[in-house]
Amino acid sequence: MKKMVLSLRIVLLLGSVGLFAFILYLIKKGKLEIKYSIIWMAFSAAMLLFAIFPYFVLILGDIAGVIDPVNFIFLSQIVFILLILLSVSAVISGFSQKIKKLAQANAFLERRVRELEESINNK
């Protein structure tokens, strides 16, 4: 039966604890909102579980058809990166729509101000 190397477990453990601490630090400093930190915390928790219970990695790796446990770790990190990209794309799309509406409202208000200035000047 395959085994997960101890050095990989230690790196996963230290990395996940470090990532979790860094996420909490960013939240505390106001650099990261809680709603955006949830997926990062979930990833950190998954890597922590993989480090503490390497059997999960072996079972999930067998289910996914991955030969080496480290390859499953890489696969899970790639999936995580894709989820982050998807969520960032969704946020950017929302901001883009809001910016478009704000620009249209601003143009309308500028036109209204110009019309009011012209009506004042014509009196």
Side-chain angles (χ1 to χ4, degrees), residues 4-104:
M4 199 163 137
V5 180
L6 181 62
S7 61
L8 175 62
R9 291 179 65 190
I10 291 171
V11 168
L12 281 175
L13 182 67
L14 293 176
S16 61
V17 169
L19 178 62
F20 192 78
F22 187 62
I23 292 166
L24 291 178
Y25 171 78
L26 290 175
I27 292 171
K28 182 180 177 186
K29 292 293 183 181
K31 305 265 183 195
L32 184 64
E33 292 184 31
I34 293 176
K35 64 182 177 181
Y36 299 123
S37 68
I38 291 172
I39 193 165
W40 288 103
M41 287 184 180
F43 176 72
S44 178
M47 291 301 120
L48 185 64
L49 283 175
F50 289 166
I52 295 172
F53 304 108
Y55 192 67
F56 286 149
V57 175
L58 298 174
I59 295 297
L60 293 173
D62 285 342
I63 291 171
V66 178
I67 296 171
D68 198 13
V70 74
N71 290 339
F72 180 77
I73 300 295
F74 286 137
L75 176 66
S76 65
Q77 290 177 351
I78 289 170
V79 168
F80 166 73
I81 289 168
L82 290 174
L83 286 173
I84 289 293
L85 287 172
L86 181 62
S87 83
V88 168
S89 295
V91 169
I92 289 172
S93 294
F95 285 153
S96 176
Q97 291 173 356
K98 287 179 182 179
I99 289 170
K100 181 179 177 183
K101 287 180 183 178
L102 283 171
Q104 290 171 346

